[in-house]
């Protein structure tokens, strides 16, 4: 069937391609107090834009897509957890391209350990609404370990590694294991002092 044609077109050696690029744009109000805790909550809402930048038809849709996006979570003394949600549908592109209708839900949880270490997970659940029932859902679980370090004594950088396994995955073609390494540079907001002055 179609899946056999796709598998036959994949090279058996290493193949490097660029997929479609997604750009979530969210607007968030200031952090708010969470009753009964010492932590803060956050919420955001915006739009998800998906650009047809793939260099191979196997890795993209040839469609420009968009839809709603948002996030909700909690930041405590030891725990950080929440959800990031995105949904997109094709709005422009090639007439003969496949229809796009998908959702992504990233759930994240992190526990702070001594010496700036942390453990947790941040897998992304993916739903392809255009696929058959046996191929709609990818639901991974995982474990991550990370550490925040000071570079040059001034710049905080968080490095981590995470492994995810999809306990539910498409029957025909989809991810099983994902290993990802991350490095995040923490920089102060350029609007911080301006926002503070306005609040006064």
């Amino acid at each position: 069937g179609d899946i056999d044609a796709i598998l036959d077109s994949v090279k058996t050696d290493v193949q490097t391609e660029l997929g479609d690029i997604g750009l979530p744009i969210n607007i968030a109000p200031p952090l708010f107090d969470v009753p009964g805790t010492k932590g803060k909550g956050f919420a955001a809402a915006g739009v998800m834009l998906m650009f047809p930048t793939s260099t191979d038809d196997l890795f993209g849709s040839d469609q420009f897509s968009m839809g709603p996006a948002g996030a909700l979570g909690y930041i405590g003394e030891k725990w950080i957890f929440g959800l990031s949600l995105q949904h997109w549908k094709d709005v422009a592109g090639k007439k003969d391209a496949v229809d796009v209708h998908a959702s992504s839900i990233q759930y994240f949880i992190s526990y702070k350990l001594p010496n700036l270490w942390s453990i947790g997970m941040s897998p992304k659940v993916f739903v392809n609404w255009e696929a058959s029932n046996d191929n709609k859902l990818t639901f991974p679980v995982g474990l991550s370990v990370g550490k925040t370090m000071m570079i040059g004594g001034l710049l905080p950088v968080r490095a981590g590694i995470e492994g995810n396994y999809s306990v539910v995955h498409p029957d025909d073609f989809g991810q099983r294991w994902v290993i990802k390494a991350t490095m995040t540079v923490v920089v102060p907001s350029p609007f911080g002092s301006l926002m503070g002055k306005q609040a006064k």
Side-chain angles (χ1 to χ4, degrees):
D2 292 339
I3 190 63
D4 293 327
I6 292 173
L7 291 174
D8 287 343
S9 69
V10 177
K11 298 174 184 176
T12 55
D13 57 353
V14 176
Q15 183 174 350
T16 302
E17 302 288 349
L18 178 68
D20 290 348
I21 294 177
L23 175 64
I25 301 173
N26 288 308
I27 297 175
L31 298 177
F32 53 88
D33 292 330
V34 177
T37 74
K38 295 180 181 179
K40 297 284 188 179
F42 64 88
V47 64
M48 177 66 179
L49 305 176
M50 190 68 72
F51 298 94
T53 55
S54 65
T55 55
D56 189 296
D57 289 344
L58 287 174
F59 301 98
S61 64
D62 286 330
Q63 299 271 36
F64 173 72
S65 306
M66 64 184 302
L72 184 67
Y74 171 82
I75 302 172
E77 292 180 345
K78 289 288 186 181
W79 291 95
I80 299 173
F81 54 84
L83 292 171
S84 173
L85 305 105
Q86 301 160 359
H87 182 81
W88 59 96
K89 191 166 186 347
D90 58 278
V91 294
K94 294 182 179 178
K95 292 183 179 180
D96 59 346
V98 297
D99 292 333
V100 175
H101 187 194
S103 302
S104 171
I105 305 165
Q106 183 173 22
Y107 63 98
F108 53 90
I109 183 167
S110 177
Y111 181 75
K112 298 176 187 176
L113 297 170
N115 300 316
L116 300 178
W117 284 90
S118 64
I119 60 170
M121 62 178 165
S122 58
K124 279 189 179 181
V125 177
F126 180 75
V127 183
N128 179 0
W129 299 103
E130 293 292 330
S132 62
N133 286 338
D134 292 338
N135 294 289
K136 270 185 169 44
L137 180 64
T138 302
F139 196 112
V141 296
L143 180 66
S144 68
V145 178
K147 181 174 175 59
T148 301
M149 303 164 285
M150 297 298 288
I151 304 297
L154 297 172
L155 184 65
V157 174
R158 184 181 186 281
I161 188 165
E162 179 170 357
N164 293 324
Y165 175 74
S166 296
V167 293
V168 179
H169 51 75
D171 283 354
D172 289 343
F173 187 74
Q175 73 180 33
R176 303 295 192 270
W177 280 98
V178 172
I179 306 294
K180 58 184 177 180
T182 59
M183 183 169 286
T184 306
V185 179
V186 182
V187 295
S189 168
F191 307 106
S193 58
L194 178 62
M195 296 291 282
K197 287 177 182 177
Q198 289 179 343
K200 293 176 183 177

